[in-house]
Amino acid sequence: MGPVADTGAVSESAEAMRARVRASFERQAMMATLGVELAAVEPGRVELVVGHDDRFTQQHGFLHAGAIAAVLDSACGYAAFSVMPPDAAVLTATYTINLLAPAAGQRFSMTGAVVRAGRTLVVCRGEAFGDGAATPFAIMQATLTALYGRPGISG
Amino acid sequence: MGPVADTGAVSESAEAMRARVRASFERQAMMATLGVELAAVEPGRVELVVGHDDRFTQQHGFLHAGAIAAVLDSACGYAAFSVMPPDAAVLTATYTINLLAPAAGQRFSMTGAVVRAGRTLVVCRGEAFGDGAATPFAIMQATLTALYGRPGISG
Amino acid sequence: MGPVADTGAVSESAEAMRARVRASFERQAMMATLGVELAAVEPGRVELVVGHDDRFTQQHGFLHAGAIAAVLDSACGYAAFSVMPPDAAVLTATYTINLLAPAAGQRFSMTGAVVRAGRTLVVCRGEAFGDGAATPFAIMQATLTALYGRPGISG
Amino acid sequence: MGPVADTGAVSESAEAMRARVRASFERQAMMATLGVELAAVEPGRVELVVGHDDRFTQQHGFLHAGAIAAVLDSACGYAAFSVMPPDAAVLTATYTINLLAPAAGQRFSMTGAVVRAGRTLVVCRGEAFGDGAATPFAIMQATLTALYGRPGISG
């Protein structure tokens, strides 16, 4: 389903929005440390890609739920951020993740998509896929919040 | 509230249980990479400790929700594992995390505690505290599942 | 996305499955009390329909979140039940609901769809729509569990 | 843990707060229909009580998860409302419920307690107990939102 943005007229161009998302993404040290790439940014939808990394595994050798959740959370966060006014900062309020199967594979695609966007709350769904699989191995339902006018907090 | 274990008579000693938890914890590369220490293990309750690390921050300089969630998830997972029969493997089925405030501080204590334990499902609550604070900056409600008899999957 | 059932060969016909779902649905007094109808049953997907009822409203006059959640939970539960072996009973382990907008309207369609089905755990997503709207006013992510061989518990 | 209210100086007396909570509670037709009583109201903590009712059961004869969730959600909602400024209206944004055991018993106590309160978001935990049991049969983690200045929406 498409995003529903009730956030008021946003005069920003798609190009400016993408630059804004990318600038914030590049300030997330966690994403660089995990080796995450920003693969696609559309209004209300973001795709991140990450490879298997032995440093971030759980006790059975699969990618740790924490790494999966970190990337899915960022995918949802930037999907929300993409439909927020340019002066808003985005923070995750809460999310629920279901781990459906081990993160088997070498390369994972994680998407976040806006379900409904209000001025202060944006709800997104995330899905994680391994090696081009058609069904996700993890899904997320996330609630993001937009902050306005907090000095030192932007993006 | 105390753990309620309906998992059948577990003849394992507390010492054997702690060794079993520690052995599994030490196989989680993610925990070593994040610099997490296993601070305390009681039946149905685990405390992990982690320091601030610039490599795992979000765009505002605080510890990333993904790092917080990874540690809380492990705290809940090992709390569940501590009350499971010795031949079970533990996997996270789903969790919900609420991020209540930025992860401000240098050293974080994250606890997991069993609320109810059945043979296949164990429900835990997790709490994250910064620098000795009395109120948590993040809380988790997690559902773990016990696996039996899967070759190659233990701990 | 389509359901992925790893529950073993189910020789049951679609007709027998629908009869099994309907028989269980009709034993839920809560559904009758709320006036819920079983509108559609496919393998892995169920649609329930309910009308506005002043007896089940919250303090602002809209359908109470509890009523919405009850119907969405049942839609997810029966979607899961539809792909379970005939001898299983279904119970909700946990769900997360996001209330995106007030339940405005007179007639609500609530769907549950299986995302992944295992032998003991089935994960579903639910969506609630008002008066033919294209975007949901509530979404759910639910984890159901299959019980086998509990005397007195079936369906 | 005690509530942490960052909602600004609230000059309201405890008595005025209780009257405000009770007035809103009495406008929830759903609570009257389910036969719920407001048993206790403290700042940041509310207890609701409900009896077993055959009209609100699931297919195995226990109280339906939807009824349990409706009461727990209201307990959390009024716990949040109790620490909000008098001019705020409270709405549930999202919650996660874990159903730990069947709702066995004749009389259920359901509590909501504030974990952290901000100006627009309040996070609560809920617990449901049957017939004076010491361990809960259901737990909830809820995120409530405060609305200000919406005509027609109060309480």
Side-chain angles (χ1 to χ4, degrees):
Chain A
M1 114 213 24
V4 181
D6 303 328
T7 51
V10 175
S11 58
E12 190 189 33
S13 70
E15 211 167 326
M17 178 275 284
R18 283 196 188 91
R20 183 167 56 88
V21 168
R22 187 165 296 279
S24 175
F25 179 81
E26 289 174 354
R27 287 204 306 278
Q28 287 212 352
M30 179 80 168
M31 292 298 103
T33 304
L34 289 169
V36 183
E37 292 163 45
L38 187 55
V41 182
E42 304 298 327
R45 191 178 177 286
V46 162
E47 181 187 5
L48 302 180
V49 171
V50 65
H52 177 89
D53 187 324
D54 284 341
R55 293 176 301 161
F56 303 113
T57 52
Q58 34 86 297
Q59 73 276 29
H60 310 131
F62 297 110
L63 203 61
H64 195 281
I68 297 161
V71 183
L72 272 177
D73 176 18
S74 282
C76 288
Y78 286 115
F81 190 54
S82 74
V83 299
M84 286 181 180
D87 60 329
V90 61
L91 288 176
T92 302
T94 176
Y95 66 75
T96 297
I97 186 170
N98 270 259
L99 301 150
L100 309 172
Q106 289 303 311
R107 196 164 168 79
F108 306 101
S109 163
M110 311 218 190
T111 58
V114 173
V115 178
R116 175 87 61 156
R119 180 168 160 81
T120 55
L121 291 182
V122 181
V123 175
C124 293
R125 285 201 288 223
E127 300 189 334
F129 300 89
D131 284 349
T135 53
F137 66 88
I139 61 172
M140 179 175 281
Q141 193 166 302
T143 306
L144 295 301
T145 183
L147 286 185
Y148 299 90
R150 300 281 179 96
I153 302 287
S154 68
Chain B
M1 111 211 29
V4 180
D6 303 327
T7 52
V10 175
S11 58
E12 189 188 36
S13 71
E15 210 166 328
M17 178 276 284
R18 282 196 188 90
R20 182 167 57 88
V21 168
R22 186 165 296 278
S24 175
F25 179 82
E26 289 175 354
R27 288 204 307 278
Q28 287 212 353
M30 179 81 168
M31 292 299 103
T33 304
L34 289 170
V36 183
E37 292 163 44
L38 187 55
V41 182
E42 303 299 326
R45 191 178 178 286
V46 162
E47 181 187 4
L48 302 179
V49 171
V50 65
H52 177 89
D53 187 325
D54 285 341
R55 293 176 300 160
F56 304 113
T57 52
Q58 32 86 296
Q59 73 276 30
H60 310 132
F62 296 111
L63 205 60
H64 194 281
I68 298 161
V71 183
L72 272 177
D73 176 18
S74 283
C76 288
Y78 286 116
F81 191 54
S82 75
V83 299
M84 285 182 181
D87 61 330
V90 61
L91 288 177
T92 302
T94 176
Y95 67 76
T96 298
I97 186 170
N98 269 259
L99 301 151
L100 309 172
Q106 290 303 311
R107 197 166 169 78
F108 307 101
S109 162
M110 311 219 190
T111 58
V114 173
V115 178
R116 175 87 61 155
R119 179 168 160 81
T120 56
L121 291 181
V122 181
V123 175
C124 293
R125 284 201 289 225
E127 299 188 335
F129 301 89
D131 284 347
T135 53
F137 67 86
I139 60 172
M140 179 175 281
Q141 193 167 302
T143 306
L144 295 301
T145 184
L147 286 184
Y148 298 90
R150 300 280 179 96
I153 301 289
S154 68
Chain C
M1 111 212 28
V4 180
D6 305 327
T7 52
V10 176
S11 58
E12 190 188 34
S13 70
E15 212 167 326
M17 177 277 284
R18 282 197 188 91
R20 182 167 56 89
V21 168
R22 187 165 296 278
S24 175
F25 180 82
E26 288 174 357
R27 287 203 307 277
Q28 288 212 351
M30 178 81 169
M31 292 298 103
T33 304
L34 289 170
V36 183
E37 293 163 43
L38 187 55
V41 182
E42 303 299 326
R45 191 179 177 285
V46 163
E47 181 187 5
L48 302 179
V49 171
V50 66
H52 177 89
D53 187 325
D54 284 341
R55 294 175 301 160
F56 303 114
T57 52
Q58 34 86 297
Q59 73 275 30
H60 310 131
F62 297 111
L63 204 60
H64 194 282
I68 298 162
V71 183
L72 272 177
D73 177 16
S74 282
C76 288
Y78 286 115
F81 190 54
S82 74
V83 299
M84 286 181 182
D87 61 328
V90 61
L91 289 177
T92 302
T94 176
Y95 66 75
T96 297
I97 187 170
N98 269 258
L99 301 150
L100 309 171
Q106 289 304 312
R107 196 165 169 79
F108 306 101
S109 161
M110 312 219 189
T111 59
V114 173
V115 178
R116 175 87 60 153
R119 181 169 159 80
T120 55
L121 291 181
V122 181
V123 175
C124 293
R125 285 200 288 224
E127 299 189 336
F129 300 89
D131 284 349
T135 54
F137 67 86
I139 61 172
M140 179 176 280
Q141 192 166 303
T143 307
L144 295 302
T145 184
L147 286 186
Y148 299 91
R150 300 281 179 97
I153 301 288
S154 68
Chain D
M1 109 211 32
V4 180
D6 303 327
T7 52
V10 176
S11 57
E12 190 189 34
S13 71
E15 211 167 326
M17 178 276 285
R18 283 197 188 91
R20 182 167 56 88
V21 168
R22 187 165 296 278
S24 174
F25 180 82
E26 289 174 355
R27 287 203 306 277
Q28 288 213 351
M30 178 81 169
M31 293 298 103
T33 304
L34 289 170
V36 183
E37 292 162 45
L38 187 55
V41 182
E42 303 298 327
R45 190 178 177 287
V46 162
E47 181 188 4
L48 302 179
V49 170
V50 66
H52 177 89
D53 187 324
D54 285 341
R55 293 175 301 160
F56 304 114
T57 52
Q58 34 85 297
Q59 73 275 31
H60 310 131
F62 296 111
L63 204 61
H64 194 282
I68 298 162
V71 184
L72 271 177
D73 177 17
S74 282
C76 288
Y78 285 116
F81 190 54
S82 76
V83 299
M84 286 182 181
D87 60 330
V90 60
L91 289 176
T92 302
T94 176
Y95 66 74
T96 297
I97 187 170
N98 269 259
L99 300 151
L100 309 171
Q106 289 303 312
R107 196 165 168 78
F108 306 102
S109 162
M110 312 218 190
T111 58
V114 173
V115 178
R116 176 85 62 152
R119 180 169 159 80
T120 55
L121 291 181
V122 181
V123 176
C124 292
R125 284 201 288 224
E127 299 188 336
F129 302 89
D131 284 347
T135 53
F137 67 87
I139 60 172
M140 180 175 280
Q141 192 166 303
T143 307
L144 295 302
T145 183
L147 286 185
Y148 299 90
R150 301 280 178 98
I153 303 288
S154 68

